[in-house]
Amino acid sequence: MPVQTSCPSLVIDVVTIFPEMFTAWRGAGVVGKAVESGRVAVRAHDLRAWSQDKHRKTDDYPFGGGAGMVMCPEPLFAAVDSLCAGDSTVILMSPRGPVLTQSMARSLAARKHLILLCGRYEGVDERVHEHLVDLEISIGDYILSGGELAAMVVAEATMRLLPGVLGDAESLEQDSFAPGHGMLGWPQYTRPREYRGLAVPDVLLSGNHAQIAAWRREQARELTGRLRPDLLREPAAHEE
Ligand code: SAH
């Protein structure tokens, strides 16, 4: 049972027309423990609660015609008005934004309150992009049907960087893109020592910690050079 802390170091408010999508995610694994321990508060709000329309509508036809619906500005502005505190950062999930990186997650983890707005349909009214949000974040160059999965990705990448969220503090340093090296993580093995004739590298069974550390550094460099050479060439892309 995780220790209950009195004050969360980060509050994440998500605004969505599908709050139920967050239920399973918020209850499982590292995210579940972080929420249960009180280190992070994650709340999923139904955007329809801020709709003034009698059918609780949050979208309408695009001016000028064309396919699909656009999310109306009023409920989104009203949601931010009611959730915003002095130290809030309002973020729109959006394919227009810069693509999330580990260093962006580190910078979000240093904030106190994130409000994540999830678009749907053809996206949100342009006035939301221009006048409501502090940041837009994309999770990659492809189009999802809504911002909910993107919000979970942003929230999870951020939460696991908060002090005390990962059980073993070392595992953060071992992760790919960690600040010290910015490379991919090294290969990991577990029991059995041999499986279908495939043996675990001898060095890992040697008990020689210096040799193991050197082997891991070398493997991480080799993997990164082979699979993600861009990380070695452009340290500025993943380091602030
Ligand atoms: N017509 C828009 C896409 C709308 S997709 C366009 O061409 O840019 C509907 C919503 O899904 C968006 O408003 C956004 O909130 C979310 N979304 C889609 N793809 C995303 C991505 N790659 N990253 C973050 N959010 C995304």
Side-chain angles (χ1 to χ4, degrees):
M1 191 69 177
V3 182
Q4 189 78 27
T5 57
S6 51
C7 180
S9 49
L10 179 65
V11 174
I12 303 178
D13 281 306
V14 184
V15 178
T16 165
I17 58 167
F18 294 122
E20 66 277 15
M21 284 181 69
F22 292 82
T23 309
W25 167 73
R26 202 176 35 190
V30 169
V31 172
K33 286 206 193 91
V35 170
E36 200 189 325
S37 70
R39 288 196 165 84
V40 185
V42 182
R43 311 177 194 126
H45 304 272
D46 189 347
L47 176 65
R48 294 176 206 282
W50 286 285
S51 169
Q52 295 297 315
D53 178 82
K54 66 172 184 291
H55 303 296
R56 305 215 304 158
K57 232 169 56 131
T58 55
D59 58 287
D60 213 328
Y61 295 98
F63 279 125
M69 303 298 277
V70 175
M71 295 189 74
C72 303
E74 305 97 312
L76 288 163
F77 273 78
V80 169
D81 282 349
S82 85
L83 295 171
C84 212
D87 53 2
S88 309
T89 305
V90 182
I91 303 173
L92 177 64
M93 299 302 118
S94 163
R96 282 190 200 180
V99 175
L100 180 69
T101 61
Q102 190 70 0
S103 73
M104 282 161 70
R106 271 196 292 278
S107 127
L108 296 177
R111 306 188 188 210
K112 289 277 153 251
H113 182 209
L114 306 178
I115 300 177
L116 307 182
L117 304 180
C118 304
R120 279 267 152 185
Y121 316 115
E122 297 304 311
V124 304
D125 186 283
E126 189 64 23
R127 288 163 287 193
V128 171
H129 289 274
E130 286 188 3
H131 301 292
L132 184 61
V133 304
D134 300 309
L135 298 174
E136 303 193 23
I137 298 181
S138 165
I139 61 161
D141 289 344
Y142 41 79
I143 299 297
L144 301 163
S145 308
E148 288 76 11
L149 292 173
M152 287 183 226
V153 168
V154 168
E156 183 161 328
T158 302
M159 282 158 71
R160 66 198 303 286
L161 298 174
L162 296 172
V165 165
L166 289 190
D168 181 354
E170 251 187 82
S171 58
L172 264 187
E173 286 144 38
Q174 289 179 16
D175 274 345
S176 298
F177 316 114
H181 55 74
M183 294 192 288
L184 301 180
W186 53 73
Q188 301 276 16
Y189 293 86
T190 184
R191 278 191 276 266
R193 281 180 176 213
E194 194 175 311
Y195 179 66
R196 297 192 175 192
L198 305 169
V200 170
D202 285 338
V203 60
L204 297 178
L205 311 172
S206 68
N208 182 329
H209 296 296
Q211 259 180 31
I212 292 172
W215 180 87
R216 285 177 164 166
R217 272 196 304 277
E218 184 42 45
Q219 290 287 313
R221 210 167 292 124
E222 190 280 322
L223 262 186
T224 310
R226 185 154 48 86
L227 302 177
R228 290 293 307 274
D230 55 306
L231 294 177
L232 297 179
R233 278 198 302 270
E234 295 167 36
H238 54 86
E239 284 304 311
E240 278 171 324

